[in-house]
Amino acid sequence: MQELLDIFIATKISANIFYMAIPLILLAVVVSASYLDRKSVPVILVALFAGIIFGGDGLKFWRVDNMNLANDLANLALVLILFHGGFCTKKENLKLVALPALGLATWGVILTAVFTFACLHLILGWDRNISLLLSVIISSTDAAAIFAILSKQALSNKLKSTIEIESGANDPMAILLTIVAIQSIQALSSGGDLSYGAFAGLFVWKFLSAPVFGLIIAKGMVWLINKLTPQESGYYHILLLCTSLFAYGFSEILNASGMLAAFTAGIVMGNKQFVHKQGVYHFSSAVSTIANILLFVLLGVLVLPSSWLGNSEFLNGKLFLNGILLFLFLSFVARPAAIFLGTIGMKIPFKERLFISWAGLRGAVPITLATYPAAAGIAGGMEIFNLVFFAVLLSVGFQGSSLGKIAKLLKLSTPSRPEPPYSLEFFTKNDMECSERMDLFTVDLPGPEDAKGPLIRDLVLPEDALLLMIARKQKVPSKKQSWQVLPPKGDTVLQGWDQITVLSKVEDEEKVENILLESFTSASRAS
C-alpha cells in the first residue's frame, strides 16, 4: 500500500511540475520572440533554445526519453503545420510557379539527397548507412521556418511563392525517402532480400495516391460544412481538425503519404468557398502557430547539447564538428547544385537561383525525421538526431537571420505589403433551410502602394455583395506605420495595397474577388 501511495505522490508531483513547466517555457518563448523579432531572429530558434534551456541539459524542468512518443507528437504537429501551409497556398500562385516550385519539391529533394550523400560518403568517407539517412532526412526545407521568415521579407510575389510552395510541398518527398531508406537498411541488416521493384511501387503509390485522398476528403468536408452550417462557430473549427487529421490517418492506413494528403487537403479547402471560412482560417493559423512552437520546444527538450562535445561513435571527430561539416556541405554544395541543376530551362534569373539556394532553411521536418532511425532501433539513431539538430540550428541561425540582407545584396528586395492591424470576423447563424449562405472575406489589392484604382460606385458587383471596410496604410513622416479605416463610399478611390473586407454569398466570393482585382488593374493601368 505504501508503495502505491509513493507512486501516486510522485506522479502528482511530476504532473504539477509539467503543468508549471509548459506555461513557463511558452511564456519565455513569447516574451523573447516579441523582442527578438525586431532583430530578425526567427521564433523557431527561440523555441529551440527554450527547449534546450528547460530540458535535460539545462534546468531539467522537462525531460523526454521516449523517442517513439516524441515521434508521434512531432508527427501530429507536422500534420497541423502542413495543412495550414496548404490552406494558405493560393491556386493563382500555385499556377504561376507550379513548374519550378513542384519541380524543386520532387526532383530537387532527390538531387539534394544525392549530392549530400556523395559529399558525406565519398568525400568525407562517412559510414554508408549514416550518410544515406542523413542525406534523405535533411533533404527538405522547412515550411514553418520559411513562411515565418519570408513574411517579413520584401520579395517579388513570384520569387516568394516559389520558395514558399516548394517548402510546403517538399516535406512529403523527404518523408517518403526517409521511410524507404530506413526500410532498406532494416531489410539488409536482417539478411532479407531487398526488392527495389517493390520499393519503387510503394514510392509511386505513396506519392500519387495521397493527393487523391486529400482532394476527396477536403471536397467532401467543404460540401458537409455548406450543407450543415452549424450555428456554433466552434463546430467549424472541429470540422477543420477532422479534415487534416482524417486525411493523414486514412492515407496512412492505406500505406499512402499522410503528410502529402494533409497538405493537399489544406490546398483544396483553402481555395474553396464555404461558410465561416475567414474564422476557420484564423483558427487554423492559431493552431499552426501553437503546434509550431510546441514542436520546436519538444525537439529542443529531446536534444542533449553536452553530447555534441563528445567523440562520434560512428564517425571520426567530435560530433559538433561533424554537424558543422554537414551544414557546410548541404548549404554550399548540395542545395546550390540541386537548385541550379533542377531549374535548367526554367528561365529563372541567376540572382534568384542564388537566393533560392540560400533560402533552403532546415527546420522541424528534418529534426522530426531524425527521430525515425532511433525509433526504428537503427544503430547510430541518436547520433543522427544530434547531427541533424545541430545542422538545423546552424541553418536557422545563419541562413534565417541573413535572408533579408542577402535579398538586398542581390537587389531582389521590393516594397512589401504591410499587414493591416484591423480585421473583422463575421458569423451568421443561418437556419438549416436557408438558401443564402453569407460569409465575410478580404481582398488584398496589388501594388504599387500609390496606384490609383476605380471609384467604388463604378464597380459592378453582385447584388448581395457589400463592401464593409477598407484598411489603408497612411504615409507619415515617422517610421512607425499608421493605418486608417475607411468606410466605403461611392466616391472613394481604391488604392494599391488596400485591404477590402466584403460580405457576400459564399458562391459569389471568387466572382467578387475577380471583379475587384480586374477593375483595379484596369484603372491603375489607365491612370
Side-chain angles (χ1 to χ4, degrees):
M1 177 64 72
Q2 184 61 40
E3 292 180 359
L4 292 175
L5 182 61
D6 291 341
I7 292 175
F8 174 75
I9 293 174
T11 304
K12 287 286 289 183
I13 292 174
S14 298
N16 289 335
I17 291 176
F18 177 81
Y19 288 128
M20 183 179 68
I22 293 297
L24 284 176
I25 293 173
L26 295 180
L27 182 62
V29 170
V30 172
V31 172
S32 302
S34 298
Y35 173 74
L36 294 173
D37 183 60
R38 306 166 195 165
K39 302 182 181 297
S40 300
V41 177
V43 65
I44 58 176
L45 192 62
V46 178
L48 281 174
F49 274 110
I52 293 173
I53 292 171
F54 286 90
D57 265 0
L59 300 176
K60 305 184 189 302
F61 268 34
W62 187 16
R63 180 77 183 111
V64 179
D65 296 313
N66 189 330
M67 191 61 76
N68 288 306
L69 174 61
N71 180 263
D72 291 337
L73 292 175
N75 280 336
L76 173 61
L78 280 178
V79 170
L80 300 174
I81 294 170
L82 282 176
F83 179 85
H84 181 67
F87 199 93
C88 296
T89 302
K90 300 299 182 184
K91 63 180 180 181
E92 295 82 10
N93 293 338
L94 187 59
K95 292 177 181 178
L96 181 66
V97 298
L99 181 59
L102 298 182
L104 292 175
T106 50
W107 66 70
V109 173
I110 296 174
L111 288 173
T112 302
V114 169
F115 287 125
T116 305
F117 177 78
C119 292
L120 301 182
H121 183 58
L122 301 180
I123 297 177
L124 296 179
W126 288 8
D127 176 79
R128 184 191 64 184
N129 289 348
I130 298 292
S131 299
L132 175 62
L133 288 171
L134 285 172
S135 301
V136 296
I137 285 170
I138 207 165
S139 60
S140 73
T141 58
D142 183 67
I146 292 290
F147 283 127
I149 294 174
L150 287 190
S151 64
K152 300 178 177 61
Q153 303 304 323
L155 303 172
S156 68
N157 187 51
K158 185 175 182 180
L159 178 59
K160 180 183 286 190
S161 297
T162 299
I163 299 171
E164 289 181 341
I165 294 174
E166 178 214 355
S167 69
N170 65 10
D171 295 334
M173 176 61 78
I175 293 168
L176 291 175
L177 291 177
T178 301
I179 293 173
V180 170
I182 290 175
Q183 291 177 349
S184 301
I185 292 172
Q186 288 177 326
L188 291 173
S189 62
S190 63
D193 294 329
L194 184 61
S195 173
Y196 290 102
F199 278 122
L202 177 64
F203 185 86
V204 172
W205 166 254
K206 283 180 173 291
F207 200 78
L208 295 183
S209 61
V212 177
F213 295 149
L215 174 70
I216 295 173
I217 291 170
K219 281 193 171 184
M221 190 58 70
V222 170
W223 174 85
L224 184 63
I225 289 175
N226 287 327
K227 185 72 175 177
L228 294 178
T229 58
Q231 295 193 7
E232 174 58 50
S233 61
Y235 293 161
Y236 291 90
H237 304 158
I238 293 174
L239 292 174
L240 179 84
L241 292 177
C242 289
T243 306
S244 57
L245 298 179
F246 185 75
Y248 173 81
F250 181 79
S251 300
E252 287 292 323
I253 287 177
L254 296 180
N255 213 15
S257 171
M259 296 294 181
L260 182 55
F263 182 70
T264 305
I267 292 177
V268 174
M269 284 199 73
N271 288 281
K272 290 287 185 181
Q273 277 69 50
F274 57 89
V275 177
H276 200 48
K277 182 178 179 180
Q278 185 158 314
V280 166
Y281 167 79
H282 291 315
F283 173 76
S284 177
S285 177
V287 169
S288 176
T289 301
I290 294 170
N292 191 24
I293 292 176
L294 286 176
L295 172 59
F296 278 95
V297 169
L298 171 64
L299 297 174
V301 169
L302 277 174
V303 75
L304 296 175
S306 59
S307 64
W308 296 345
L309 301 176
N311 288 319
S312 172
E313 182 180 352
F314 294 87
L315 307 173
N316 297 324
K318 299 287 186 181
L319 192 142
F320 82 93
L321 291 176
N322 290 326
I324 293 175
L325 289 174
L326 175 61
F327 165 72
L328 292 176
F329 275 112
L330 175 68
S331 303
F332 293 96
V333 180
R335 169 75 176 179
I339 295 300
F340 279 89
L341 186 61
T343 56
I344 290 177
M346 294 185 185
K347 298 181 180 179
I348 299 177
F350 175 82
K351 292 192 299 183
E352 293 190 3
R353 292 188 189 187
L354 203 59
F355 184 80
I356 293 173
S357 300
W358 189 245
L361 273 70
R362 269 56 194 174
V365 172
I367 299 178
T368 303
L369 292 179
T371 65
Y372 284 24
I378 292 178
M382 281 308 300
E383 188 163 318
I384 290 172
F385 177 79
N386 281 289
L387 277 170
V388 171
F389 189 100
F390 191 73
V392 167
L393 205 59
L394 293 175
S395 176
V396 174
F398 286 102
Q399 292 176 288
S401 59
S402 63
L403 275 180
K405 296 178 182 178
I406 297 296
K408 291 180 181 178
L409 183 64
L410 296 174
K411 297 181 179 179
L412 294 173
S413 296
T414 59
S416 61
R417 171 197 297 277
E419 188 67 24
Y422 311 112
S423 66
L424 294 175
E425 188 167 322
F426 173 82
F427 182 72
T428 176
K429 297 190 175 183
N430 286 335
D431 185 76
M432 294 290 288
E433 284 75 32
C434 181
S435 59
E436 294 186 355
R437 311 297 186 193
M438 306 292 290
D439 199 14
L440 199 71
F441 64 99
T442 59
V443 178
D444 294 322
L445 297 183
E449 182 181 1
D450 56 352
K452 301 297 182 182
L455 292 169
I456 287 181
R457 63 168 172 259
D458 294 333
L459 296 173
V460 184
L461 297 172
E463 183 178 353
D464 295 317
L466 297 174
L467 305 187
L468 301 182
M469 183 182 77
I470 300 173
R472 178 175 296 171
K473 181 175 175 291
Q474 290 180 302
K475 291 185 177 181
V476 292
S478 64
K479 294 183 179 179
K480 188 175 181 180
Q481 293 181 359
S482 178
W483 291 85
Q484 60 180 148
V485 176
L486 301 177
K489 298 180 181 178
D491 57 354
T492 301
V493 179
L494 298 179
Q495 294 184 9
W497 287 358
D498 280 355
Q499 186 180 79
I500 307 170
T501 302
V502 186
L503 177 67
S504 78
K505 292 180 181 178
V506 172
E507 58 268 24
D508 288 339
E509 285 185 19
E510 187 172 358
K511 181 179 179 181
V512 171
E513 182 174 6
N514 289 336
I515 290 174
L516 287 171
L517 293 176
E518 290 172 2
S519 300
F520 175 80
T521 302
S522 300
S524 61
R525 286 177 180 173
S527 62

